[in-house]
Amino acid sequence: MDSFDMSDKKKAIIATTWEYLLKTGLSNASIGELCKETKLAQSSLYYWFENKDDIWIAAGKYGLSKVVDSLMDFTLNHTDNVREYFDTLLDEVEKYKYDLRLALQITTSPVFGERMRDKAKDFRLWYERYAEKLITIFNCSHLNAETFIYSIIAYVIDYAIWDDRDKTQMLLENLYDRVLKIIDKQQE
């Protein structure tokens, strides 16, 4: 997702940091333990990052990007079978539930939240690109595509937090009915 220039070393540190945070949790994370995971001295970490917060925020953005990429690709790979998409979406989300929870924890944290949200503003542009793809595929309006994307995001987050599959599937079924009406209307 990041289009800015970043060294392979920094990318590797961020990816390792994300995996480390998934194992330990944000509240148990420490720079000392991260140094052991990355096999780097603390001074080397701070060569790449301003401070500890910067490391956790970069990892959070990486993790969220990874999940969003995967779920959006899953969506685009199911445009030819919308029913299957709605039937299998929660199984796909299940693979990323812990990633989503951690990303949400960082994003809503009183310590990291504002800076994380600031660094992740480009997600809106990303969603816009996916909306454009859906508009082309389904010949639907921009409003319909955005409503679909943001509804899916809300349902995925709700499921990741509350783990209520029945409720989320009910919401997805309602969205499926609306999507079918849009598709049918476009085909007329």
Side-chain angles (χ1 to χ4, degrees), residues 68-80:
V68 169
D69 251 347
S70 296
L71 292 177
M72 290 295 189
D73 286 346
F74 180 80
T75 299
L76 292 176
N77 289 333
H78 285 81
T79 56
D80 60 334

Side-chain angles (χ1 to χ4, degrees), residues 146-185:
E146 274 198 340
T147 300
F148 172 78
I149 288 170
Y150 283 98
S151 294
I152 291 294
I153 292 167
Y155 301 159
V156 164
I157 290 170
D158 185 76
Y159 180 62
I161 293 171
W162 301 110
D163 205 18
D164 189 340
R165 190 178 189 101
D166 292 337
K167 183 189 121 218
T168 306
Q169 192 62 49
M170 176 193 66
L171 293 168
L172 287 171
E173 289 303 317
N174 183 276
L175 182 59
Y176 172 71
D177 290 341
R178 289 185 283 154
V179 167
L180 276 186
K181 287 177 185 171
I182 292 167
I183 291 171
D184 290 343
K185 187 175 183 181

Side-chain angles (χ1 to χ4, degrees), residues 80-147:
D80 60 334
N81 191 338
V82 177
R83 179 70 259 169
E84 181 183 356
Y85 171 75
F86 281 93
D87 287 344
T88 60
L89 177 61
L90 294 183
D91 294 330
E92 188 68 15
V93 171
E94 195 69 35
K95 298 175 189 176
Y96 304 102
K97 197 183 312 182
Y98 294 110
D99 297 74
L100 282 165
R101 287 176 180 167
L102 179 58
L104 288 167
Q105 181 184 13
I106 295 169
T107 303
T108 60
S109 159
V111 176
F112 310 112
E114 187 175 331
R115 287 172 287 160
M116 172 69 172
R117 289 186 300 274
D118 189 50
K119 287 192 180 260
K121 281 184 179 173
D122 52 342
F123 278 98
R124 290 190 188 271
L125 297 173
W126 220 22
Y127 300 153
E128 191 68 30
R129 285 195 297 265
Y130 280 108
E132 293 300 323
K133 289 178 183 181
L134 292 175
I135 290 166
T136 302
I137 293 167
F138 292 112
N139 190 28
C140 63
S141 72
H142 190 268
L143 178 61
N144 285 335
E146 274 198 340
T147 300

